[in-house]
Amino acid sequence: KANRNLSSKKMKSNNRKKARLALARIYRKTTNQRHDYHFKLARELCQKYSIICLEDLNMKWMQKGHGKKVMDYGFGEFLLILEYTATKFGTKVVRVDKFFPSSQLCHDCGYQNKEVKDLKIREWTCPNCHEHHDRDRNAARNIKSEGLRILNEVA
């Protein structure tokens, strides 16, 4: 609404300056709210867990598929805040490579199903061990196990 209000004002008028400042104030408030939420969430996660495994996502590719709103969520900023907070609490943050096939691997037998590359497939059954998988839960389990493996290699 503030943006529409700004666009209807005449260029170089005092009312336009006021509208521009009002819009800037709203954007600043939103940024501060997101920043505060990120710090609170990072603190909660670091207090709750001693190891956090994350998939290193390609944000530019996600932006092409989902638009600018992906960048507006501030996921990259959240990761920096999480790593900063983790050092204070002694929590280890492990990043799993973005090319690791987390959603394609069966977490039970390790079979790699190439058909699951299509994002429209949300559930699948492993042809090897016949285990039924939800795409996101299976990927989370695989990211956790890969993150722990990476952590053991480093230590």
Side-chain angles (χ1 to χ4, degrees):
K1 189 175 177 180
N3 207 349
R4 280 181 282 163
N5 189 20
L6 174 67
S7 66
S8 68
K9 304 296 181 195
K10 271 190 174 178
M11 294 298 270
K12 297 185 180 179
S13 67
N14 283 333
N15 285 334
R16 184 176 175 84
K17 289 177 187 174
K18 289 178 193 172
R20 188 180 55 79
L21 291 174
L23 182 62
R25 191 178 311 115
I26 291 169
Y27 279 136
R28 193 176 328 112
K29 181 181 178 188
T30 306
T31 303
N32 289 340
Q33 286 175 330
R34 184 183 310 115
H35 201 68
D36 180 56
Y37 177 73
H38 284 170
F39 267 102
K40 286 179 179 174
L41 180 61
R43 183 180 177 89
E44 181 183 333
L45 289 173
C46 289
Q47 284 176 337
K48 197 172 185 180
Y49 303 107
S50 60
I51 300 171
I52 299 173
C53 302
L54 302 166
E55 188 173 16
D56 213 9
L57 297 173
N58 188 349
M59 298 307 288
K60 290 288 183 187
W61 180 84
M62 285 179 70
Q63 185 178 357
K64 286 179 184 176
H66 301 288
K68 289 183 181 178
K69 64 183 177 189
V70 171
M71 300 307 270
D72 192 41
Y73 295 144
F75 186 68
E77 180 187 347
F78 172 69
L79 291 181
L80 294 174
I81 291 170
L82 181 64
E83 288 175 346
Y84 169 75
T85 309
T87 57
K88 290 184 173 183
F89 285 91
T91 302
K92 296 200 183 323
V93 177
V94 181
R95 290 187 182 208
V96 175
D97 188 42
K98 59 186 158 198
F99 298 111
F100 177 70
S102 59
S103 56
Q104 297 174 30
L105 291 175
C106 173
H107 70 269
D108 281 344
C109 67
Y111 175 79
Q112 185 173 356
N113 189 353
K114 299 273 188 184
E115 296 171 7
V116 186
K117 279 188 176 180
D118 185 13
L119 293 173
K120 292 176 184 165
I121 299 173
R122 303 311 301 168
E123 294 180 357
W124 60 282
T125 304
C126 178
N128 199 21
C129 66
H130 306 291
E131 181 75 25
H132 186 74
H133 299 294
D134 174 65
R135 178 190 186 93
D136 297 328
R137 291 188 183 274
N138 183 51
R141 285 180 170 177
N142 287 330
I143 289 169
K144 177 186 171 190
S145 62
E146 178 68 8
L148 293 175
R149 187 191 67 75
I150 290 169
L151 194 63
N152 286 336
E153 280 183 5
V154 173

